[in-house]
Amino acid sequence: MGEEGGSVTLLCLTASSGVPLFCRTTGAPSKHQLPFSVIGSLNGVHMFGANLDVLLTAACTANTHVVWRVFHNSITLIVLSAEEGASDFALGRLLDNTFSAMVLILGLEELVNIRNIERLKKDLRACYKLIDSFLAPLERSGDLTQCVECVPVPHGAALQEGLEAFVAAAESRFGCLVVGGRLALATEPWWQLAPQELLLLSWLVGSLPPPTARDYPIYLPHGSPTLVPRFWKPLLEPLQACVRPQPHGLPPGTTLPPGVLAFLLIHREQRSSQSSVQPPGSGGEGLSPRRRARALRHFYALVAARYFPWEGSPAPPQEPFQAGFPHRARHCYVVSATHKAYAIHAPQHQLFLLLAPHVPTFALRPLAARALQRLTGDAAC
Amino acid sequence: MSPSRFRVLVSWRLGAAGLRSGGVTPPPGMEEPLSLEMPREPAPRQEEAAAGGDESSETGSCSASFSGGSDDLEPEWLDSVQKNGELFYLELSEGEEETLLQDSSSEVPAVNHVRFCENEAEVIQEGSRKERKYEPRLKKITKILKKKSLLPKHSGKKGTGGSDGHPSGPTSILKHQSTQKVGVIVQQRYKDVCVYVNPKRLPNDGAGEKLKLLEALVGIVHQSSWSNKRAEKQGEQDRSNKGINEEKLVVHGLIPGSSAIKTGQILIGDALVAVNDVDVNAENIERVLSCIPGPMQVKLTFETSVFEHEGTSQQRYKQAQSAMNNLVKLLWREDNMDLQLAIQGMPHIVMYLTLKLDSETSKDEQEILYQYPVSEASQKLKSVRGIFLTLCDMLENVTGAHIISSSLFLCGKLVQVVYWKESDKLLVIGLPAESVPLSQLRNMITDVVRTLKFMYGSLDSAFCQVENVSRLDHFFNLFFQRAIQPARLNSNASPSAQHYDSCSALFLDNLPGVRWLTLAQEIKMEIDTALSDLEAADFAELSEDYYDIRRLYMILGSCLFYKGYLIGNHLPKEDLIDIALYSRHYCLLPLAAEQRIGQLVIWREVFPHHHLQPSEASGVTGYREPEARYFLLIVGLRHFMLCVLLETGGCTSKAIGNPGPDCIYVDQVKATILQLEGIDSSIEERLEAPAIPCLSCADWFLPASRDKLESFTTPPILSKLQNTSKTTASPISKRTLFTDSSLRTRKLSPSRSSGGSDNGSEGPEEGGGLNLLATVDQVRKHERKESQSFGGSEGSGSLFKVTKKKHTLPNPFHLGNLKKNLSEKDTELYNAVKLTSGPENTLFHYISLETMQGIFITPTHKEVQQLSGSIHPQLIKNFHRCCLSIRSIFQQAVMKEKVYGMCSDSLSFPPTPLLLRFNPDLKRLSLKKKKNADSGSNLDSRKASSDLNLVREHGVLFECSPDNWTDQKKPPPTMTYWVVGRLFLHPKPQEFYVCFHDSVTEVAVELAFKLSFGLAT
């Protein structure tokens, strides 16, 4: 998340005693090392309220958003974001993902019944990579959408066959092919996992150093938070090697209408997504890919938090803003100084487009409709 | 010597009775002998007559109606003036008052609406009575009334009555026994009934009918002949002997249709013992009643032989209460438990906290300088004030910026808390998110702070003075009532209007502008002339050579409201907003819209930010605002409300102490309104007229049933229009004026209609999409240019160009031009103005905010009311909610813009350390900019961090379908529509919000622009 806009600091403390477990920072790290007293009062103010049955959830100043959340009465997560465009929605997702990541690595038992704090601190180091990837998601969007990001691959059928065979040989039912942090192929049972689990797994794989083979014990926060389903995929390497996916994340042969700078397509039922910040034809015009990604994320957070029906987990504690609308929002657009953005909520899909500023505003809608048609017509997802 | 001083002396010399115990306040109502002509100072009597009936109240004799002698020379509001000179006097017109009072007639007896007493010495001699003065027949808001309402209640009075030798009652044996019973029953023995009486409605019979006042005025028949004649006779013979003529006023009958029978509480057999706490009997009743000067509510106290069950009376009280007009009750500061109870469950609070604590005196809760409400609802929020203080302190240290808001979860509700920090004080307001979204709450605290500063000068002076506490309680009571249950404050309106008000209030009440009503040029002219005449202040008593002394006040400007719409403004924007915020806060605008105000006079010292704040520009020009004091005078009559900002101490004489309202100015403002009376019919006409621009009803786009769906080949909207709306009044021939030769047809581009592929193939939007578009050629070209330039780039340069072009192009849709060419008869021409292109009008609703002028335009209540249906009200609600969201995004953009504006300044000037300390990000940014400026790519870096928030336009497409769709085989038809908001920063800030049908997509710009043409300012 953090980048040019400002720093993001994530604090993890024990809920009962307020002992800091870890603190991760992105952005301007040297400047924003929070002093212990500040960490103490950030937690203290929340605890003070909790004792009086008043749950402090968020606060914001002109430049910083702060969000508190307690998980299972055991772990308190606090995030301070000085990022531009930070929202309670995005920060809420960040905390949620962070805790899920901790469960994924350590198991829920370990986190709920803390016996040895020092030990826990040490164990939590294993999560840093994954958590850091949530803090700086770069061009990815899965953390925000809580959809597993997919990438279409050529020769899908052949690879799928190979994957099935491999998984069977490994005496597992779960198997997937991950390309550049995105899911290319998966076995049928794999899709049965909760969307967030799928997401975490692919982000976990992405956060690991690139060895040739992986064998990694995990807990599934939704499916089996206490049990480790182990699986092997040593034979993935040759498969991976033979895959040369397009950088733009489009099914081969698909083109998008001109002027599309970035897109994010969500398959609503499957909770999977496809996205690219460099679709073919967009060229180097306008914003850099990094900034496109930020703009798209920001747009998604805006639309998802305010207009489109709430999807993904967990449900917000209070009825969301969109509940106040007597009618359903279907499309939404934003015209900004540097770009335009358009969103469509279709029965099967949600499409979020980032467009060049020269695209006429009145052309946004037909253009977006055409893009949706092309993307879903022969999409792999 | 000031004129008012002068007048005081004169009046003393005149020996005019009734110098009020106003403390420091000189009674400005005293007229000097020279100007005792009636036209200038309409007697209150006359005022009432004008308020009640249709008589023109310009001049005319009123001497006949003088009943109280010199009392009537004083304005009715005089006694309401508070010690600090402030006045808030509200009196409804007769009709309104009657209904309202009747509603409340069964109210708790403790509320003493109005009291009067005879000024003849013979009736009452007790000391407590003497203190009581003639009190105007209006509702009291001042503390004076509060004090008086604590005067001896009936029970207490009975005691003194007894000491005077009054027996409690002739049938004493039974009753005395009952009094010795339980306390509850004793209280039931006497009942207070409030009835509305109007002496002016008396049939003008001869004076011989003297004894019939009780019947004629109240409607109670008392046959004195039935009782002891001897006593009566003796009474006549021996007046001084009080013990003898004590005939009880037993109710023998009630006159149908009278006030007495309407209350339903006066029963035959009851005995009237007191009128407004004045003991009455058969002897003095007529005299007491003859002292009622005008329409008012009186409290009748009965001794009753029927014991009422507590429950039934409670129930009746409840019923009446619900029908009561809550808003007026609130304004009169009457305790309205019903309203209070309704929001009790909602956690809400306002607190003014100090961050600097005196460690020496560690008193409990010493950091709370002010708090409201002091109830359970706020208890929990109050208990966590430590959170607010800590967050404020800590986050400022960590982030370098003030805290803005925080969210708490308590009692199952998400509560948003917003902060306002000023020096070492912190203002905190908390409200549940379900009532007010956070972005709106931020605007609300800004408005509250601004209003308080306007009223008191600073937050400290508002909160830290003991005498302000009750005023602030009232202030925040209104604030929370408005925020939590806006609908309940407008009980008078029709359901549809009420719906519109309640769903639009949240958005419209926080716009930095006043609702503007476009009027025909000549009416505008008339208003402007009248306002200018007033502002010139060269009427006799105000001209300086009249007394050869300096005048008291200079009129800085004025603005005129009609039914809550601004129809004339001669004030700078900032002052206008200040006044609008004030009147909005005290609900004066809806009040004037729905209720006919008999008379409203508000006077107070104000502190307009605009004049008191030394601005940077002043140093350059050499102009300095004078060291002056400012006063706000608001006078309302019927649906008119005229607000005047007065200055004293500049070129006028200095104000000393706390001057109260000056009679001459009040009268002059009143006269201005009366002068404008004539235009109200044309304004009403304008309000009644079909919408300009035409609006459509959402329901017209949905086939009501299946058979209608089949007959959908022809565009149904036009025919429906003709059937249901009043647009039929518009003659076709007039329309050709616009569409004459240049009319041409144009097919909607297929791409557009195919754009909504996911909307389902059936439904009216398809029909609309395939229709031919008939547009005026010139406009079409014009709009195409616009949409191209807007579609092309959003740079400020192109924006500017387009607006400039707008002014040079003669546009037939330019309402301003239009109006100038209009003759009086041609007002129907307005009907021809349609904003959207195509044969069907696709515009549902709009709001156009002219930030520069501080006004906004939106369809009038009438226009909205004309469009009824099942979907349309939802659409209106949806639209306003969406506008909330859109505007919050725009506000971020504006905020960012300001920051960047400051930055670009800081490039040429050394950056101010204060600014940098405030915002470290800014510092980084400006440093970055400096670096970049050297490298020459400064613009890019500026954009780099700003692109997310610089939103210029934002639109949402909504879909709806009928609620009660019963057909199982077919899916319900859907209708889709856009809500689009557009923000302009250059050349002048403007915001537009429009809601239109989906069938035309690119009209937003065009709509917005055409709307702005409508401003004739």
Side-chain angles (χ1 to χ4, degrees):
Chain A
M1 283 196 173
E3 160 200 3
E4 47 189 299
S7 67
V8 183
T9 306
L10 182 71
L11 300 169
C12 178
L13 307 99
T14 59
S16 49
S17 52
V19 177
L21 294 175
F22 66 82
C23 168
R24 306 302 301 166
T25 306
T26 63
S30 55
K31 218 185 88 187
H32 263 282
Q33 206 52 260
L34 287 177
F36 185 76
S37 64
V38 170
I39 297 177
S41 41
L42 274 173
N43 183 52
V45 82
H46 182 267
M47 275 169 72
F48 170 70
N51 289 337
L52 292 165
D53 263 348
V54 176
L55 203 63
L56 176 66
T57 58
C60 79
T61 72
N63 54 22
T64 306
H65 280 251
V66 188
V67 175
W68 287 261
R69 192 173 295 176
V70 179
F71 295 86
H72 297 274
N73 284 324
S74 158
I75 301 284
T76 305
L77 290 179
I78 305 172
V79 62
L80 281 92
S81 171
E83 207 186 20
E84 193 191 7
S87 61
D88 288 354
F89 174 83
L91 294 178
R93 288 266 158 111
L94 171 68
L95 294 187
D96 195 47
N97 289 333
T98 304
F99 185 72
S100 296
M102 287 159 68
V103 174
L104 184 82
I105 308 294
L106 297 178
L108 190 60
E109 183 71 10
E110 199 81 355
L111 295 170
V112 173
N113 304 317
I114 302 168
R115 287 177 215 96
N116 187 337
I117 289 181
E118 288 309 313
R119 168 87 184 277
L120 181 64
K121 273 189 191 174
K122 213 172 280 172
D123 290 347
L124 279 171
R125 284 190 194 151
C127 312
Y128 285 1
K129 267 255 155 97
L130 184 52
I131 290 168
D132 285 351
S133 70
F134 288 129
L135 289 173
L138 306 179
E139 290 169 21
R140 289 192 284 179
S141 58
D143 58 325
L144 203 57
T145 62
Q146 295 201 325
C147 293
V148 59
E149 294 147 288
C150 298
V151 67
V153 284
H155 325 295
L159 282 173
Q160 181 80 33
E161 214 171 285
L163 178 68
E164 302 276 0
F166 161 73
V167 168
E171 291 181 0
S172 170
R173 296 165 60 225
F174 302 95
C176 73
L177 179 59
V178 176
V179 177
R182 296 167 193 228
L183 194 67
L185 290 172
T187 59
E188 203 47 45
W190 183 265
W191 287 108
Q192 315 278 305
L193 298 174
Q196 203 192 10
E197 293 167 350
L198 293 178
L199 166 81
L200 286 170
L201 286 174
S202 54
W203 279 62
L204 172 67
V205 174
S207 71
L208 294 174
T212 53
R214 282 184 194 136
D215 172 14
Y216 208 88
I218 51 125
Y219 299 85
L220 297 175
H222 294 273
S224 57
T226 48
L227 238 145
V228 189
R230 295 196 91 161
F231 48 88
W232 301 78
K233 30 184 184 169
L235 294 178
L236 270 183
E237 196 262 332
L239 285 166
Q240 215 164 7
C242 76
V243 172
R244 295 279 177 270
Q246 284 84 353
H248 43 68
L250 271 179
T254 314
T255 55
L256 283 177
V260 176
L261 299 180
F263 77 90
L264 165 64
L265 178 73
I266 293 173
H267 193 295
R268 288 175 56 199
E269 208 181 311
Q270 213 172 32
R271 301 305 301 161
S272 65
S273 72
Q274 247 180 294
S275 68
S276 168
V277 291
Q278 288 169 289
S282 69
E285 66 180 316
L287 304 164
S288 68
R290 193 62 58 80
R291 278 171 51 204
R292 287 179 192 177
R294 281 185 63 227
L296 193 60
R297 289 176 63 91
H298 185 253
F299 180 59
Y300 174 83
L302 171 83
V303 175
R306 295 193 191 207
Y307 304 114
F308 288 172
W310 191 276
E311 286 176 349
S313 63
Q318 184 75 13
E319 69 172 26
F321 183 79
Q322 51 265 60
F325 288 117
H327 295 159
R328 303 169 295 274
R330 285 289 171 259
H331 294 206
C332 176
Y333 72 87
V334 157
V335 175
S336 148
T338 49
H339 63 268
K340 298 185 181 188
Y342 201 95
I344 295 179
H345 179 86
Q348 302 288 319
H349 297 91
Q350 282 183 345
L351 176 67
F352 298 85
L353 282 183
L354 200 70
L355 299 116
H358 62 72
V359 177
T361 304
F362 63 79
L364 291 178
R365 182 176 173 183
L367 203 143
R370 215 174 324 142
L372 180 65
Q373 218 170 10
R374 289 192 194 169
L375 285 169
T376 55
D378 49 352
C381 280
Chain B
M1 190 175 18
S2 76
S4 92
R5 243 343 112 81
F6 177 67
R7 275 197 302 278
V8 173
L9 290 180
V10 168
S11 64
W12 273 336
R13 215 181 311 130
L14 276 175
L19 255 192
R20 298 288 159 235
S21 58
V24 207
T25 319
M30 294 298 124
E31 277 298 329
E32 57 277 34
L34 285 176
S35 63
L36 242 163
E37 330 113 79
M38 284 309 115
R40 263 230 49 261
E41 158 88 70
R45 220 12 117 68
Q46 227 187 332
E47 212 71 64
E48 291 150 22
D54 289 327
E55 308 133 73
S56 98
S57 52
E58 270 305 281
T59 57
S61 83
C62 58
S63 53
S65 56
F66 280 4
S67 63
S70 61
D71 276 342
D72 271 30
L73 269 178
E74 293 177 349
E76 313 81 304
W77 41 261
L78 194 63
D79 279 350
S80 307
V81 178
Q82 297 181 50
K83 252 189 253 164
N84 59 0
E86 276 172 28
L87 169 66
F88 191 107
Y89 173 91
L90 171 64
E91 171 194 332
L92 295 183
S93 69
E94 190 187 309
E96 300 281 359
E97 193 151 282
E98 182 170 3
T99 47
L100 189 69
L101 294 184
Q102 272 173 4
D103 282 346
S104 62
S105 57
S106 58
E107 210 186 329
V108 260
V111 178
N112 217 345
H113 287 298
V114 177
R115 204 184 289 110
F116 75 99
C117 85
E118 298 180 81
N119 35 18
E120 287 148 284
E122 56 176 272
V123 180
I124 295 143
Q125 284 92 8
E126 293 136 70
S128 63
R129 293 289 150 72
K130 273 181 193 157
E131 286 170 15
R132 254 181 247 168
K133 298 197 177 75
Y134 168 84
E135 285 193 36
R137 61 205 158 70
L138 38 111
K139 303 291 149 300
K140 291 291 196 173
I141 310 130
T142 57
K143 283 183 179 169
I144 298 167
L145 176 98
K146 287 207 163 176
K147 256 181 254 154
K148 295 220 167 169
S149 64
L150 295 174
L151 277 171
K153 301 262 153 44
H154 187 72
S155 53
K157 192 188 64 66
K158 277 275 72 145
T160 58
S163 72
D164 264 32
H166 294 222
S168 304
T171 54
S172 53
I173 299 171
L174 259 176
K175 296 240 162 125
H176 267 300
Q177 283 175 340
S178 65
T179 47
Q180 262 127 44
K181 280 188 194 168
V182 209
V184 183
I185 301 170
V186 174
Q187 294 214 334
Q188 290 290 343
R189 239 186 96 191
Y190 294 101
K191 66 179 173 193
D192 289 337
V193 179
C194 294
V195 297
Y196 179 79
V197 295
N198 186 352
K200 274 188 254 120
R201 291 224 183 123
L202 286 179
N204 248 345
D205 285 350
E209 298 277 326
K210 267 276 172 186
L211 209 83
K212 295 291 177 213
L213 267 183
L214 185 60
E215 286 179 25
L217 209 57
V218 190
I220 293 177
V221 180
H222 168 71
Q223 302 276 8
S224 56
S225 55
W226 289 4
S227 48
N228 195 345
K229 283 214 168 154
R230 190 189 54 86
E232 200 176 8
K233 254 187 189 170
Q234 271 200 352
E236 271 163 17
Q237 287 162 0
D238 186 11
R239 275 198 165 211
S240 58
N241 188 351
K242 281 195 169 172
I244 302 174
N245 50 32
E246 270 305 321
E247 195 202 335
K248 273 225 138 180
L249 278 165
V250 180
V251 177
H252 293 127
L254 295 165
I255 292 174
S258 64
S259 322
I261 206 162
K262 278 186 204 160
T263 65
Q265 286 181 293
I266 303 171
L267 304 173
I268 293 178
D270 291 350
L272 179 65
V273 293
V275 175
N276 274 16
D277 294 349
V278 177
D279 284 337
V280 292
N281 50 45
E283 171 65 18
N284 67 358
I285 178 67
E286 291 302 313
R287 220 166 338 136
V288 170
L289 290 177
S290 69
C291 291
I292 297 175
M296 64 186 287
Q297 191 190 37
V298 293
K299 185 180 79 179
L300 306 176
T301 308
F302 291 92
E303 201 178 44
T304 180
S305 48
V306 182
F307 297 107
E308 215 180 340
H309 286 291
E310 185 106 28
T312 56
S313 73
Q314 285 280 323
Q315 211 171 8
R316 205 176 297 162
Y317 163 63
K318 271 256 166 65
Q319 282 164 0
Q321 187 88 350
S322 64
M324 227 184 286
N325 189 307
N326 296 320
L327 171 56
V328 178
K329 296 268 152 195
L330 262 186
L331 287 179
W332 277 336
R333 290 210 194 177
E334 285 170 10
D335 293 326
N336 195 332
M337 285 314 293
D338 206 26
L339 280 177
Q340 298 294 345
L341 280 175
I343 65 168
Q344 211 169 38
M346 290 277 184
H348 61 277
I349 200 169
V350 55
M351 279 191 291
Y352 193 60
L353 305 169
T354 177
L355 296 168
K356 203 168 59 183
L357 274 186
D358 209 353
S359 53
E360 307 258 313
T361 58
S362 52
K363 215 172 66 202
D364 204 24
E365 301 187 356
Q366 56 166 332
E367 68 272 22
I368 304 178
L369 299 176
Y370 174 80
Q371 178 211 348
Y372 182 88
V374 191
S375 70
E376 241 179 274
S378 66
Q379 197 49 47
K380 212 152 215 184
L381 280 165
K382 181 187 160 192
S383 65
V384 293
R385 62 189 178 278
I387 294 186
F388 310 144
L389 292 167
T390 313
L391 279 181
C392 171
D393 191 51
M394 173 186 60
L395 289 181
E396 192 172 341
N397 287 337
V398 175
T399 71
H402 287 204
I403 184 166
I404 294 172
S405 66
S406 61
S407 314
L408 307 166
F409 205 74
L410 61 105
C411 308
K413 283 186 162 62
L414 183 66
V415 176
Q416 309 280 13
V417 180
V418 284
Y419 302 76
W420 186 276
K421 194 185 173 212
E422 212 162 275
S423 63
D424 56 350
K425 306 288 194 329
L426 185 67
L427 177 66
V428 177
I429 295 180
L431 269 175
E434 63 190 66
S435 305
V436 181
L438 180 58
S439 61
Q440 203 58 9
L441 192 56
R442 288 180 190 169
N443 292 336
M444 281 162 79
I445 195 173
T446 315
D447 284 355
V448 162
V449 169
R450 183 164 179 176
T451 313
L452 285 175
K453 284 185 176 172
F454 179 63
M455 291 168 66
Y456 298 102
S458 69
L459 289 184
D460 274 350
S461 58
F463 286 107
C464 299
Q465 283 169 18
V466 186
E467 68 265 23
N468 282 344
V469 168
S470 76
R471 290 179 198 135
L472 288 172
D473 284 353
H474 183 232
F475 183 94
F476 284 107
N477 184 16
L478 276 170
F479 173 80
F480 286 119
Q481 292 289 350
R482 278 184 342 128
I484 297 175
Q485 42 182 6
R488 295 203 53 177
L489 295 186
N490 312 310
S491 60
N492 255 17
S494 71
S496 66
Q498 199 179 336
H499 171 84
Y500 173 51
D501 271 334
S502 55
C503 63
S504 65
L506 191 57
F507 182 66
L508 296 184
D509 277 3
N510 284 290
L511 283 181
V514 195
R515 195 176 196 143
W516 173 260
L517 184 68
T518 51
L519 288 172
Q521 199 66 31
E522 63 269 9
I523 304 176
K524 264 192 69 65
M525 181 100 100
E526 206 174 311
I527 295 169
D528 285 338
T529 314
L531 293 187
S532 300
D533 284 351
L534 171 71
E535 285 152 13
D538 58 357
F539 27 89
E541 290 84 1
L542 286 192
S543 69
E544 299 204 335
D545 14 293
Y546 190 82
Y547 297 116
D548 213 18
I549 44 166
R550 292 174 85 179
R551 63 172 65 128
L552 274 177
Y553 304 103
M554 192 180 78
I555 299 180
L556 288 181
S558 56
C559 57
L560 180 66
F561 292 88
Y562 182 81
K563 282 193 170 180
Y565 299 95
L566 182 69
I567 56 171
N569 175 37
H570 287 185
L571 281 168
K573 179 212 166 188
E574 294 301 319
D575 292 342
L576 175 68
I577 299 285
D578 278 341
I579 291 176
L581 282 176
Y582 175 83
S583 355
R584 218 180 255 166
H585 193 96
Y586 284 95
C587 304
L588 300 178
L589 302 181
L591 187 74
E594 282 156 23
Q595 260 138 342
R596 289 157 58 91
I597 297 177
Q599 188 176 175
L600 168 77
V601 182
I602 294 172
W603 171 272
R604 66 173 303 129
E605 181 164 14
V606 292
F607 305 87
H609 172 83
H610 175 62
H611 296 282
L612 294 169
Q613 208 71 16
S615 62
E616 298 88 45
S618 62
V620 181
T621 56
Y623 172 75
R624 220 153 37 93
E625 288 280 348
E627 280 176 28
R629 289 170 68 182
Y630 300 88
F631 291 87
L632 172 67
L633 170 62
I634 300 179
V635 174
L637 280 178
R638 262 134 297 176
H639 294 304
F640 284 101
M641 209 175 85
L642 183 51
C643 310
V644 181
L645 190 63
L646 303 161
E647 182 190 85
T648 174
C651 63
T652 58
S653 59
K654 276 208 168 72
I656 301 147
N658 294 314
D662 190 290
C663 225
I664 293 180
Y665 285 87
V666 174
D667 287 345
Q668 208 53 48
V669 174
K670 213 179 279 178
T672 307
I673 297 181
L674 291 175
Q675 185 194 334
L676 285 169
E677 285 257 271
I679 64 165
D680 67 353
S681 58
S682 35
I683 300 174
E684 277 303 324
E685 219 169 86
R686 157 71 180 86
L687 286 173
E688 294 290 339
I692 330 153
C694 284
L695 295 178
S696 281
C697 177
D699 295 73
W700 299 343
F701 289 84
L702 271 174
S705 58
R706 281 185 61 199
D707 36 311
K708 272 197 182 159
L709 195 78
E710 271 131 37
S711 67
F712 212 70
T713 40
T714 54
I717 288 85
L718 272 184
S719 52
K720 282 214 177 176
L721 257 174
Q722 276 158 3
N723 290 338
T724 51
S725 95
K726 292 176 185 165
T727 35
T728 35
S730 116
I732 304 299
S733 58
K734 293 276 162 56
R735 195 172 280 232
T736 54
L737 197 141
F738 294 97
T739 56
D740 47 5
S741 57
S742 55
L743 183 129
R744 63 165 194 161
T745 55
R746 185 169 167 270
K747 203 159 188 217
L748 200 69
S749 69
S751 71
R752 233 181 293 152
S753 52
S754 72
S757 58
D758 54 322
N759 292 325
S761 54
E762 72 168 325
E765 67 266 21
E766 198 182 29
L770 292 176
N771 272 315
L772 297 182
L773 290 178
T775 59
V776 181
D777 196 25
Q778 197 174 0
V779 177
R780 169 55 73 182
K781 272 188 204 153
H782 177 53
E783 99 203 10
R784 222 187 286 149
K785 261 185 217 160
E786 275 173 7
S787 49
Q788 271 167 14
S789 57
F790 270 93
S793 79
E794 293 301 317
S796 55
S798 73
L799 277 163
F800 185 65
K801 237 188 293 168
V802 172
T803 6
K804 243 170 85 182
K805 190 178 64 191
K806 175 191 91 183
H807 290 301
T808 52
L809 255 180
N811 189 322
F813 274 24
H814 195 305
L815 283 181
N817 285 345
L818 198 77
K819 277 179 201 150
K820 277 168 204 147
N821 302 333
L822 280 182
S823 68
E824 306 87 286
K825 288 179 198 164
D826 283 347
T827 36
E828 310 104 304
L829 256 183
Y830 284 150
N831 303 338
V833 178
K834 186 156 69 79
L835 281 183
T836 54
S837 45
E840 286 167 15
N841 185 26
T842 54
L843 180 70
F844 294 135
H845 205 79
Y846 61 87
I847 294 167
S848 161
L849 172 69
E850 299 281 322
T851 320
M852 284 293 277
Q853 282 138 337
I855 55 171
F856 68 86
I857 302 176
T858 188
T860 61
H861 288 77
K862 270 274 153 48
E863 287 168 17
V864 176
Q865 259 171 279
Q866 281 163 7
L867 308 167
S868 53
S870 59
I871 299 285
H872 199 71
Q874 291 178 7
L875 176 137
I876 295 289
K877 182 179 176 204
N878 208 43
F879 170 74
H880 285 99
R881 184 155 182 93
C882 194
C883 286
L884 279 179
S885 168
I886 296 175
R887 183 148 200 274
S888 70
I889 295 170
F890 287 167
Q891 281 185 309
Q892 290 171 3
V894 173
M895 217 171 69
K896 282 273 137 74
E897 195 81 359
K898 270 188 198 145
V899 171
Y900 293 123
M902 283 194 280
C903 275
S904 52
D905 286 346
S906 69
L907 277 181
S908 39
F909 304 105
T912 51
L914 183 84
L915 192 73
L916 293 178
R917 197 168 56 83
F918 178 76
N919 189 344
D921 272 3
L922 203 63
K923 185 177 190 174
R924 213 179 310 138
L925 190 88
S926 62
L927 287 179
K928 203 199 254 176
K929 273 183 64 171
K930 255 188 185 149
K931 255 186 263 160
N932 282 330
D934 298 335
S935 61
S937 65
N938 133 33
L939 188 75
D940 190 51
S941 87
R942 204 171 117 182
K943 272 183 183 170
S945 43
S946 67
D947 55 353
L948 293 184
N949 282 325
L950 291 183
V951 174
R952 292 282 181 273
E953 184 174 333
H954 182 26
V956 184
L957 181 79
F958 286 98
E959 182 186 78
C960 62
S961 48
D963 284 332
N964 43 1
W965 187 255
T966 44
D967 195 338
Q968 300 290 324
K969 291 171 215 156
K970 279 203 163 192
T974 56
M975 197 272 285
T976 47
Y977 61 92
W978 282 101
V979 177
V980 174
R982 186 173 263 270
L983 169 75
F984 301 96
L985 292 173
H986 310 286
K988 49 178 187 171
Q990 285 172 301
E991 288 168 38
F992 299 103
Y993 303 89
V994 284
C995 179
F996 55 91
H997 189 251
D998 172 41
S999 59
V1000 187
T1001 50
E1002 89 278 40
V1003 288
V1005 184
E1006 159 206 358
L1007 272 171
F1009 269 95
K1010 282 182 190 166
L1011 279 173
S1012 68
F1013 298 161
L1015 291 178
T1017 40

